[in-house]
Amino acid sequence: MSRYDSRSGDPTSYGDRRGDSGFGGSMGFSGSVRSSLSRNNYEGAESPRKLDLDGLTPFEKNFYVESSSVTAMSDREVDEYRQRREITIEGRDIPKPVTSFRDVGFPDYVMLEITRAGFVEPTAIQAQGWPMALKGRDLIGIAETGSGKTLAYLLPAIVHVNAQPILAPGDGPIVLVLAPTRELAVQIQNEATKFGASSKIKNTCIYGGVPKGPQVRDLQKGVEIVIATPGRLMDMLESHHTNLRRVTYLVLDEADRMLDMGFEPQIRKLVSQIRPDRQTLYWSATLPKEVEQLARQFLYNPYKVIIGSPDLKANHAIRQHVDIVSEHQKYNKLVKLLEDIMDGSRILIFMDTKKGCDQITRQLRMDGWPALSIHGDKSQAERDWSSQSLKLARVL
Ligand code: AMP
């Protein structure tokens, strides 16, 4: 049984990956693990520890070749570009951003999908994140949903998969994306399906609240990319429907939300089953202390890239009105607003508690408004129904 075999029921843990890799002759490991692994310089890291790579097959993860036009960019041009697109970076040997798709050096099958999607230029996170990810280094990305971050990690993932040996029967995925909710997991899957189609990369989405059968069948057929919520994936591993022995590219999407939702124990268990010289991309909208601490334990010598101003700023394309009212005036004010703005279009109302969400929905429905609610205590079927209804603007 290999060191990271999950079949024991109590999966062997690698522990954390900090410190000197110690790879070399004595580890029986040579060549293709990059020198970036040799020392962790992640600020605040604890004392160096040995990285156990015993018996692991080397794999390729550096695919980046800087194009001549990127090389030609002066430091000033690079600074100006980053400033204009509100890109802040930290780390060693940071590659210059790519200002066009042509400069990334994506293979034709990926370029074909980008052209098909009709994209004009890389978003800020893609411009800086693609060269970073394609270099095979670990990455902390602070970017919101809507910034293009999914493709910032998925397109390099597709290149990564295509450079690995094909899956053998019984192999688990090569790329694992962990996400906090089914909704996000499905969105990621849609992008993976669209952009992975031309190179025939298979994916599946593993989440709770639905029967396991179809998900188990997908896993057993063999898929290169698994997008999963942590709880259901643990379940699948514990019942031996898949394993993480082939994972060399790990993504944690919306890490802050996963921690908020209490997934830390599952995430730790899952990550401990993945080979330590993997590439890890860690995404979060915010970087509070706990989220950064977890990143420190999972990442080696990472780049950090932050999109947007560190100061919270309003989007100027959106007109904002602020009304300050007392608690008992709120409902009437809301109804008045709805009467003013309701023209059959869709309206989102955010509440600060689940209970409040249910109460207002009930009250609105009693008053004849076609309201539905969605929150974490609803069953998956109810959540699906609500989000589908909103999407289709279904009148209820
Ligand atoms: P995300 O932030 O990953 O949720 O992406 C938001 C949306 O932007 C998705 O619908 C993507 O397909 C789209 N998108 C991603 N990259 C680009 C790009 N370079 N240009 C235009 N749209 C993009």
Side-chain angles (χ1 to χ4, degrees):
M1 188 180 288
S2 74
R3 304 184 68 83
Y4 54 110
D5 199 318
S6 62
R7 283 170 296 181
S8 60
D10 176 25
T12 311
S13 165
Y14 275 117
D16 73 34
R17 309 188 303 146
R18 283 171 288 187
D20 255 346
S21 71
F23 68 80
S26 64
M27 308 293 293
F29 201 93
S30 64
S32 73
V33 174
R34 260 133 245 296
S35 57
S36 61
L37 280 179
S38 65
R39 177 165 281 281
N40 173 19
N41 70 347
Y42 192 14
E43 208 186 322
E46 287 160 15
S47 59
R49 296 243 305 255
K50 292 281 179 204
L51 219 196
D52 193 352
L53 301 175
D54 206 3
L56 294 175
T57 318
F59 68 97
E60 188 54 61
K61 59 180 175 179
N62 184 351
F63 308 101
Y64 189 57
V65 181
E66 194 176 75
S67 78
S68 53
S69 51
V70 172
T71 309
M73 278 171 92
S74 69
D75 288 348
R76 213 175 113 216
E77 284 169 326
V78 167
D79 285 347
E80 275 169 10
Y81 182 84
R82 288 192 181 126
Q83 225 166 34
R84 185 165 57 76
R85 304 210 71 185
E86 296 195 311
I87 301 170
T88 311
I89 35 119
E90 282 174 33
R92 283 205 201 147
D93 309 323
I94 297 175
K96 296 175 179 177
V98 291
T99 56
S100 77
F101 294 117
R102 207 184 44 243
D103 289 336
V104 196
F106 279 134
D108 291 347
Y109 54 82
V110 171
M111 286 305 286
L112 186 75
E113 297 302 332
I114 291 175
T115 314
R116 244 186 231 159
F119 297 161
V120 177
E121 60 166 351
T123 65
I125 187 60
Q126 294 164 353
Q128 186 60 71
W130 278 335
M132 289 172 157
L134 286 167
K135 275 169 83 81
R137 286 266 301 269
D138 286 0
L139 169 67
I140 300 178
I142 308 300
E144 305 271 0
T145 293
S147 59
K149 75 174 155 67
T150 316
L151 291 183
Y153 63 72
L154 271 185
L155 297 189
I158 288 169
V159 174
H160 182 103
V161 167
N162 279 309
Q164 309 307 321
I166 56 168
L167 294 182
D171 276 355
I174 296 168
V175 170
L176 173 64
V177 182
L178 293 176
T181 60
R182 172 193 178 161
E183 285 79 9
L184 180 62
V186 169
Q187 274 178 41
I188 298 167
Q189 185 186 27
N190 289 339
E191 299 275 272
T193 303
K194 211 183 317 164
F195 287 87
S198 58
S199 50
K200 301 201 168 47
I201 292 179
K202 298 179 293 305
N203 68 65
T204 193
C205 211
I206 304 296
Y207 45 78
V210 292
K212 286 188 206 159
Q215 297 178 359
V216 170
R217 280 194 287 281
D218 276 354
L219 289 171
Q220 284 171 348
K221 269 189 270 171
V223 285
E224 288 86 1
I225 302 181
V226 164
I227 302 134
T229 54
R232 176 58 69 91
L233 182 62
M234 269 317 292
D235 211 357
M236 292 292 191
L237 287 166
E238 276 159 8
S239 29
H240 312 305
H241 293 307
T242 189
N243 63 74
L244 304 181
R245 291 189 289 275
R246 284 283 316 261
V247 174
T248 45
Y249 190 102
L250 168 69
V251 180
L252 290 104
D253 201 348
E254 298 200 355
D256 47 354
R257 265 178 91 197
M258 288 201 279
L259 292 199
D260 275 352
M261 292 168 71
F263 282 134
E264 184 172 340
Q266 288 94 330
I267 294 175
R268 283 184 183 281
K269 263 193 151 163
L270 291 167
V271 174
S272 75
Q273 291 187 53
I274 303 174
R275 57 187 286 166
D277 54 343
R278 64 180 183 258
Q279 182 177 3
T280 309
L281 296 98
Y282 189 95
W283 298 89
S284 192
T286 55
L287 201 58
K289 216 170 64 213
E290 322 74 69
V291 181
E292 181 143 27
Q293 263 163 8
L294 198 67
R296 258 189 212 157
Q297 290 168 36
F298 292 163
L299 303 168
Y300 254 135
N301 187 22
Y303 295 123
K304 190 158 148 190
V305 53
I306 302 165
I307 302 302
S309 153
D311 315 318
L312 207 56
K313 247 190 345 204
N315 180 338
H316 295 299
I318 300 170
R319 190 117 137 253
Q320 316 229 4
H321 298 267
V322 178
D323 273 315
I324 298 171
V325 292
S326 62
E327 194 58 42
H328 74 275
Q329 295 171 312
K330 271 190 188 168
Y331 184 74
N332 288 342
K333 178 77 199 174
L334 173 66
V335 169
K336 170 93 185 43
L337 255 177
L338 290 178
E339 284 167 356
D340 288 348
I341 60 178
M342 184 61 155
D343 56 4
S345 54
R346 289 165 285 181
I347 295 172
L348 282 173
I349 300 172
F350 292 95
M351 303 294 299
D352 62 352
T353 62
K354 297 172 195 169
K355 200 166 127 219
C357 196
D358 286 336
Q359 266 170 5
I360 290 291
T361 310
R362 242 190 334 266
Q363 212 166 343
L364 284 172
R365 291 186 69 82
M366 280 191 324
D367 291 344
W369 296 97
L372 285 176
S373 64
I374 185 163
H375 58 65
D377 284 353
K378 298 257 175 206
S379 71
Q380 193 60 58
E382 287 174 294
R383 284 159 65 174
D384 280 351
W385 169 253
S386 299
S387 54
Q388 269 304 97
S389 300
L390 182 71
K391 213 186 259 174
L392 304 173
R394 188 154 46 199
V395 179
L396 303 157

